[in-house]
DNA sequence: TATGAATGAGTCTTCATTCAT
DNA sequence: CATGAATGAAGACTCATTCAT
């Protein structure tokens, strides 16, 4: 298990540092400290390896997104929890977040993986929350997918600016962002 | 001039269709209908070519963003114009928009190009508008770069969902999006 | 002993199905149901393994060729027996026959094995028969090796056509072939 | 045209010297004095290259076999011409002959090439000759494909012995072989 | 003995780049 | 300017072989 994980970790690191296109096997072997043939004991080829890393990342994020989620809490509390989790995940796991964000629309990732739910159904939870809010007359009536995309997009975009150090993200900013994304979709 | 433009157009097309990593010169020559050596009359190498296409795209977008911009109009009118322009640009030029969006944080594009202003200073216009709004007490006090990123991010994200046909974008949706992005940053 | 034989059988099968050049150890282990290291308990390397299979095949054919050979029988009877045995061996053991035929002149098989007699000296028996026939004035005077090669060659060639189902080989055809090969070398 | 021919010649040489399985591109480039990528300007891959060489060899042999063939000559004269040509071709072009002989039943050569006629239809000429002889009551009644295979096989086999210097082949031996192959199929 | 994960030299192949025309 | 045949460094991938268990 260790070798396999070494390889996947090295892959993610290299993608983050130089981009997927310049992840060569030579760099990978050196970084992961394995022999060049070892990868093929675990992955069919390079594409398979990258897709495995993608799947793992999606699942990890999916789990993280639902941390501390209380289905009984108020609508806003739940919304806040989901947005905070997303933001915090991005802040703590920049490599994974950027990888997911960059390649979710890339032809390199198998179509079935891109559209696939993670195993935690975090996406469905967000979707349900929006629809519930609309029924209550709290959230503005609009296509729920569009609304979903909108609140996600705010976090993604903010994170990308954060990564290149356009601004800091401490508690104050985080509160402002959550609030802004909430106001954006209110009636 | 024609050959050069042929090459750049083919480059953008191929990046859109298959992703930067699988754009080979062989495909490029075939698509652009030029000989394999011709490229080196115009570009130093592949990276240079891609960066030229990036620069061209940024300038084209920068110009588009300021279309019909009236510096004398009301704050909201100006905000709306900028957001509409961005959204419309993305809808009319999906290849260029996606290319810019995907590679603005990629190591493949030279750092100085990524942070560079386009020749129309559209970025500065947005920045100024935010600061003006904050001075007037209309726009919430927060880091102006963060605020800028936030309103941009909403548009980018919405467009990506649109490209994969998650939802339609007609006048109703467009109004909702502009409104949402405005409400997000109000005090 | 079983494991060793499993490996050798699998080797012959694979050579027959895909040709020597595409017999990889990976395929071999799977087919023979042994671990990848097991082979090295019995064979020094791949070449050694193939040469062992060659040697085994030669011996098996050598034994078969002399089945029912009666040194006291008439010249023609003995000739017929040898030719029939060769033909029947080829019909019953196509894998072994083809392997021997294909690699007897191949650089892959050690030179000393190619020219080596099998342990039954079947080759010498044929040779002696020819010389005896020439002394009796029945078989035409010619280089005995050439004559030997000639009668062998007829059988080999006929078998190859049979394998690709150019024609059937039942008793009638077999008689015709034996007869033809006999007439070919008569004075 | 020169580079392509250089590559094909080197390929045939290497196959002859070391066998198809050990023809590596590294050896090929060195021998043919071309850069490693050059092959791919002419051949899709290694298999394609080998098949091209096979096709060329078949055609060359096909042409050779009909040299001096006089359709008006006597049955025996025509038979003799065909057999002599085959034998002489093998003596003058051992590499081509052995390559054809070794790989005509190999899975490495495309099935359609193996069964394909050469462009000179030499195979058909032989076939027709046999049937004509049988109609005249000169050649023994038997499956014409079997008869064809038989007379071919004699030559092939004799040549293989010749290549490993089992015996010389000068005019005397040649006459004996032709005669033997003729007697083999007479009534 | 038997195993199979790990290895890395070696394989085929791709592709940006050069240069003579 | 425009071309494309030729190149070879670098890429992904294979596979016989080793060795700790």
């Amino acid at each position: 298990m260790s070798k396999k994980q070494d390889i996947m970790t090295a892959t993610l690191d290299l993608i983050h540092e130089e981009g997927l296109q310049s992840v060569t096997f030579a760099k990978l072997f050196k970084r992961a400290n394995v022999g060049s043939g070892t990868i093929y004991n675990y992955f069919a080829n390079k594409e398979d390896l990258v897709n495995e890393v993608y799947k793992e990342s999606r699942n990890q994020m999916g789990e993280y997104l639902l941390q501390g989620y209380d289905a009984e809490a108020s609508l806003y509390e739940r919304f806040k929890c989901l947005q905070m989790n997303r933001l915090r995940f991005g802040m703590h796991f920049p490599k994974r977040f950027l990888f997911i964000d960059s390649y979710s629309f890339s032809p390199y990732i198998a179509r079935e993986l891109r559209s696939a739910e993670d195993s935690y159904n975090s996406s469905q939870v967000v979707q349900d929350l929006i629809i519930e809010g609309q029924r209550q007359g709290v959230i503005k009536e609009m296509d729920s997918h569009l609304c979903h995309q909108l609140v996600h997009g705010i976090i993604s975009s903010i994170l990308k600016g954060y990564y290149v150090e356009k601004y800091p993200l401490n508690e104050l900013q985080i509160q402002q962002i959550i609030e802004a994304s909430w106001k954006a979709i209110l009636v």
Side-chain angles (χ1 to χ4, degrees), chain A:
Chain A
M1 199 56 183
S2 176
K3 291 271 174 193
K4 184 175 183 180
Q5 200 54 57
D6 287 353
I7 292 166
M8 292 179 80
T9 302
T11 303
L12 186 63
D13 286 355
L14 283 170
I15 290 174
H16 185 248
E17 287 166 27
E18 312 191 41
L20 176 51
Q21 54 158 357
S22 72
V23 175
T24 66
F25 273 32
K27 290 174 189 168
L28 207 46
F29 303 144
K30 206 171 172 183
R31 179 72 68 107
N33 263 316
V34 297
S36 68
T38 304
I39 275 190
Y40 294 94
N41 293 331
Y42 300 105
F43 306 97
N45 51 41
K46 191 179 169 182
E47 195 166 338
D48 183 39
L49 162 60
V50 172
N51 277 275
E52 272 322 295
V53 175
Y54 181 79
K55 214 190 302 181
E56 182 193 45
S57 299
R58 285 278 291 229
N59 277 330
Q60 194 174 321
M61 181 167 81
E63 183 185 6
Y64 196 104
L65 288 181
L66 296 183
Q67 274 186 357
Y69 186 78
D70 177 7
E72 309 297 320
S74 74
L75 202 70
Y76 177 67
E77 283 303 317
R78 281 180 283 151
F79 176 85
K80 187 175 162 183
C81 172
L82 292 168
Q83 289 289 79
M84 291 275 283
N85 280 348
R86 179 171 292 269
L87 192 58
R88 290 245 152 79
F89 179 80
M91 293 175 72
H92 291 139
F93 304 100
K95 296 179 213 164
R96 301 210 107 94
F97 184 86
L98 263 183
F99 175 49
I100 293 172
D101 193 81
S102 300
Y103 291 98
S104 286
F105 297 89
S106 152
Y108 200 84
I109 302 294
R111 181 172 296 278
E112 66 271 19
L113 275 187
R114 283 185 261 157
S115 54
E117 284 299 312
D118 56 71
S119 12
Y120 298 92
N121 274 317
S122 64
S123 210
Q124 193 56 50
V125 173
V126 178
Q127 198 72 20
D128 292 345
L129 184 116
I130 289 168
I131 290 167
E132 184 187 335
Q134 290 177 329
R135 287 216 187 99
Q136 293 183 11
V138 180
I139 293 176
K140 189 170 172 77
E141 279 299 331
M142 62 174 92
D143 187 301
S144 68
H145 293 99
L146 189 148
C147 184
H148 186 171
Q149 189 81 8
L150 201 153
V151 296
H152 272 198
I154 287 176
I155 305 296
S156 296
S157 178
I158 290 302
L159 280 167
K160 283 191 221 164
Y162 170 68
Y163 294 145
V164 296
E165 300 180 329
K166 276 193 180 174
Y167 36 75
L169 281 190
N170 41 45
E171 285 309 311
L172 173 63
Q173 278 82 32
I174 292 177
Q175 292 303 333
Q176 290 171 340
I177 292 157
I178 304 298
E179 198 190 332
S181 65
W182 179 245
K183 285 194 297 180
I185 60 172
L186 289 188
V187 287

